[in-house]
Amino acid sequence: MFDVLIIGGGVSGMSSALMLGSARTQEYAKDKKIGILLHQRSSSLQNAIFNNVLGLKPNTTGASILKNGKKHLKEAYPHVSQIDFEKVLKIEKKLDYIIVYSNKNIYYAKNIIIAVGPKNFNIKGLEKYEELHAHIPPEKNRTQLKNNNYLVENGVYVTGVIAGLRSQFAIALGSGTQVATDIMSLWNNGKPVKVHDSTILR
Ligand SMILES: Cc1cc2nc3c(=O)[nH]c(=O)nc-3n(C[C@H](O)[C@H](O)[C@H](O)COP(=O)(O)OP(=O)(O)OC[C@H]3O[C@@H](n4cnc5c(N)ncnc54)[C@H](O)[C@@H]3O)c2cc1C
C-alpha cells in the first residue's frame, strides 16, 4: 500500500515526487511509502525547449529534463519508487484507499496524485470529474478534472495542466509542489509544513 502514488512523470508529477522525497528526514514523513508511475512518452516535455523559465539555462530541452529528472530523483531520494513504462488505465475509489490499474500491474494507495496532462485523457473511473479545459482553446477539446485547490475527492489529487492550469512549465512545477506539501501538512496533523535546505548551518 503506497501512502502516495503519483501518476505521470512529467513536470508536475516529478515536482511532487521530489518534494515528497525531500521530506524523508521529517518525523511526519518517516516510513511513508511514495511511488511514481513514470510513463513519459506523451509528456509535453518531449519536444519542448525552454528559454523563459527561471533557473533553467536557455535552450534547455524538455527531453533532457525528463532524463535528468529521473536521475535527480533516484540519486537524491532513492526511497521514492520509480515505476517505468506503465500507463494507468483505470482507478477505483474505495472508502479508505484507491486501486490503480496500469497496463501491467495493480497498485493500492491511500492517496494518488493525477499528473497526466490533458491530451487524450483516458483514465476510467474519473468520468464524473471531467470537463472542458478552461485555459486551453475549446476547439482543442482538452479535459480538466474538477477540483477544489487540487483536491478532486478524498485521497485523489490532481496537478499540472489537467488540474485546469495554463500550460507553462513554472505553473505546472509549482502546482506539483503545492499538492505534495498539502499532503505532507495532513501527515503533520494539519500543521503547515515546508522543507528548506540552507547554506547557513543551524
Ligand atoms: C512543444 C512544447 C513547447 C513548450 N514550451 C514551453 C515553454 O517554452 N515555456 C513554458 O513555460 N512551457 C512550455 N511548454 C509547456 C510545458 O511543457 C507544460 O506546461 C508542462 O510540461 C505541463 O506539465 P504537466 O505535468 O501538466 O504535464 P506533462 O509534463 O505533459 O506530464 C504528463 C505526464 O503524464 C504521463 N501520462 C499521460 N497519460 C498517462 C497515463 N494514462 N498513465 C501514466 N502516465 C501518463 C505522460 O507520459 C507525461 O509523463 C511547452 C509544451 C510543448 C508541448
Side-chain angles (χ1 to χ4, degrees):
M1 175 76 78
F2 284 99
D3 290 285
V4 187
L5 183 61
I6 301 157
I7 302 171
V11 176
S12 60
M14 287 298 282
S15 157
S16 291
L18 286 166
M19 189 68 224
L20 286 160
S22 76
R24 74 197 184 291
T25 53
Q26 313 294 314
E27 191 58 31
Y28 60 77
K30 221 177 71 188
D31 305 327
K32 297 292 188 208
K33 198 172 168 206
I34 303 156
I36 178 165
L37 282 150
L38 267 170
H39 181 275
Q40 292 187 322
R41 200 163 37 180
S42 61
S43 173
S44 295
L45 288 177
Q46 290 289 2
N47 300 313
I49 297 186
F50 296 96
N51 292 292
N52 57 5
V53 179
L54 183 69
L56 292 187
K57 279 194 185 138
N59 288 320
T60 298
T61 64
S64 72
I65 295 171
L66 284 172
K67 194 167 154 226
N68 296 334
K70 277 170 58 116
K71 190 165 175 273
H72 178 181
L73 183 63
K74 191 174 173 193
E75 287 175 1
Y77 310 119
H79 63 293
V80 176
S81 306
Q82 297 195 27
I83 305 160
D84 284 311
F85 310 122
E86 290 190 33
K87 198 171 171 145
V88 171
L89 306 176
K90 181 178 149 189
I91 73 152
E92 207 176 310
K93 176 85 174 76
K94 300 291 184 188
L95 196 58
D96 295 333
Y97 65 97
I98 299 130
I99 311 176
V100 176
Y101 299 84
S102 83
N103 53 341
K104 295 183 184 160
N105 284 301
I106 298 176
Y107 301 95
Y108 298 85
K110 292 181 188 162
N111 298 281
I112 60 170
I113 302 176
I114 300 162
V116 298
K119 202 175 171 185
N120 304 325
F121 177 79
N122 187 19
I123 297 181
K124 294 200 170 44
L126 292 165
E127 293 82 356
K128 65 179 166 179
Y129 301 109
E130 290 180 27
E131 59 186 10
L132 188 65
H133 202 289
H135 290 110
I136 296 179
E139 62 274 17
K140 291 201 167 177
N141 200 25
R142 297 287 192 253
T143 304
Q144 66 179 27
L145 296 179
K146 281 181 213 158
N147 65 89
N148 186 3
N149 286 330
Y150 308 117
L151 184 64
V152 176
E153 63 174 309
N154 189 24
V156 180
Y157 296 81
V158 64
T159 187
V161 181
I162 187 85
L165 305 176
R166 289 202 176 79
S167 178
Q168 293 293 159
F169 186 100
I171 296 175
L173 193 79
S175 71
T177 306
Q178 178 71 34
V179 168
T181 49
D182 285 348
I183 293 172
M184 287 153 52
S185 298
L186 287 178
W187 290 344
N188 195 34
N189 296 320
K191 230 170 129 190
V193 297
K194 54 185 164 46
V195 180
H196 288 181
D197 296 325
S198 169
T199 54
I200 302 165
L201 289 175
R202 281 167 289 176

